[in-house]
Amino acid sequence: MFFEAMLIIFGYFFTIFLIGQIKNDNSIVDMAWGAGFVLMANFTFFRSTLFSLKGILITVFITIWGSRLTYHILKRNLGKPEDYRYVEMRQKWGDKFVRIKAFLNVYLLQGVILYIVSMPVIYGNGSMNVEFKWFNYLGIILWIIGFFFESVGDHQLKVFKRKAENKGKIMDQGLWAYTRHPNYFGDSTMWWGIFLIVIDSFAGLWIIIGPILMTYLLVFVSGVKLLEKKYEGRPEYEEYKKRTNSFIPWFPKKVS
């Protein structure tokens, strides 16, 4: 099933690539990210025909998470110009082989990442071990906590930005008072939850590569690092950094 899943992901991102070239907008890949996980989870679930409780749980969880994320990004990006990151990539690549470079560096790369991150889902939907152990229940709790942080954090930020009086200000309210990136923390926590739900033996520990990769990307590549760089040097943000944890939530520090 791992090979079949690989082919499905390749076909999916190749299709998104074609749409992106027609629209001349590579940032469409961001809108397709969450939906790709939904496709992967449901394909592997129905392909396996095992229909275990673990499989049902992770498929439902991924479908909820991926659908919410897709809707969130669609609502935020639809109708807007191509994201500045992809514009900068075009300028860097130049006109020669720009589409080939876009496919390899944007679409295929995200497909490979999605496939690796999805390893716990593919493994879980194909596993014959349906017995629940204590850490499987811990995984369910972790996923719920993670979904709360991501969805509520995104909602709080959207409400904050909607108010005219907050223009140019730093969001430091609600969950954002405990972590500077509650949505990214929630995203990472959900994938650790999925891992704990499906793991059944030491032989399957290799699928830990999924949550490790997702957490690494969120903290050091595409999430926290990019935003921290964007706001670096702003006095209000520097004060925010002094009192608020970057990733893992904790009570605000007292700043003298």
Side-chain angles (χ1 to χ4, degrees):
M1 188 154 62
F2 280 93
F3 181 70
E4 292 177 355
M6 185 188 300
L7 294 179
I8 289 293
I9 289 302
F10 178 84
Y12 174 72
F13 275 97
F14 185 73
T15 302
I16 300 302
F17 163 73
L18 295 178
I19 297 173
Q21 303 323 293
I22 294 171
K23 294 177 65 65
N24 198 34
D25 183 358
N26 288 324
S27 59
I28 191 175
V29 75
D30 293 340
M31 306 179 204
W33 174 250
F37 285 100
V38 176
L39 172 65
M40 173 67 74
N42 282 273
F43 169 76
T44 53
F45 176 73
F46 288 104
R47 176 67 182 85
S48 72
T49 69
L50 294 174
F51 307 135
S52 67
L53 181 56
K54 284 185 180 181
I56 292 171
L57 274 175
I58 61 173
T59 301
V60 169
F61 283 171
I62 294 297
T63 300
I64 292 172
W65 168 78
S67 299
R68 192 211 70 86
L69 182 62
T70 300
Y71 173 76
H72 174 74
I73 296 177
L74 273 172
K75 193 173 181 181
R76 185 186 66 190
N77 295 359
L78 202 60
K80 293 183 180 179
E82 185 177 39
D83 187 275
Y84 75 94
R85 294 169 298 160
Y86 300 104
V87 173
E88 289 177 356
M89 287 180 190
R90 289 180 187 276
Q91 294 171 347
K92 180 181 177 181
W93 295 334
D95 295 330
K96 194 174 183 180
F97 304 120
V98 64
R99 289 184 174 175
I100 295 176
K101 290 176 181 177
F103 176 70
L104 295 176
N105 293 286
V106 177
Y107 298 88
L108 185 60
L109 176 61
Q110 290 210 27
V112 171
I113 292 171
L114 190 150
Y115 179 72
I116 295 173
V117 172
S118 294
M119 288 293 180
V121 180
I122 305 170
Y123 177 89
N125 277 331
S127 176
M128 298 292 291
N129 193 326
V130 297
E131 180 186 357
F132 271 77
K133 298 178 181 178
W134 67 268
F135 45 82
N136 301 137
Y137 293 106
L138 176 61
I140 296 173
I141 295 170
L142 270 183
W143 189 91
I144 293 171
I145 292 172
F147 185 74
F148 172 81
F149 268 86
E150 184 182 58
S151 57
V152 173
D154 279 341
H155 177 71
Q156 290 176 339
L157 181 61
K158 182 175 69 174
V159 171
F160 179 83
K161 286 184 172 181
R162 193 183 292 159
K163 297 178 181 178
E165 63 268 27
N166 292 329
K167 187 175 182 180
K169 294 182 178 179
I170 299 298
M171 171 56 161
D172 60 356
Q173 305 166 15
L175 295 178
W176 300 78
Y178 302 96
T179 164
R180 301 199 297 273
H181 304 280
N183 46 355
Y184 294 142
F185 167 77
D187 202 343
S188 171
T189 302
M190 279 186 285
W191 282 100
W192 283 103
I194 293 293
F195 165 74
L196 287 176
I197 290 171
V198 303
I199 195 67
D200 50 22
S201 67
F202 285 107
L205 279 178
W206 62 271
I207 61 172
I208 200 173
I209 188 175
I212 287 177
L213 177 59
M214 178 61 92
T215 303
Y216 175 80
L217 292 172
L218 289 170
V219 176
F220 299 107
V221 182
S222 63
V224 173
K225 186 176 180 179
L226 277 180
L227 282 180
E228 295 284 312
K229 185 178 180 181
K230 181 179 179 180
Y231 293 107
E232 187 178 9
R234 289 180 55 175
E236 188 180 357
Y237 197 74
E238 293 302 320
E239 286 298 314
Y240 179 47
K241 286 170 65 175
K242 290 177 183 177
R243 66 177 183 270
T244 310
N245 275 9
S246 173
F247 192 67
I248 299 174
W250 194 245
F251 297 101
K253 306 177 187 72
K254 291 183 179 180
V255 180
S256 56

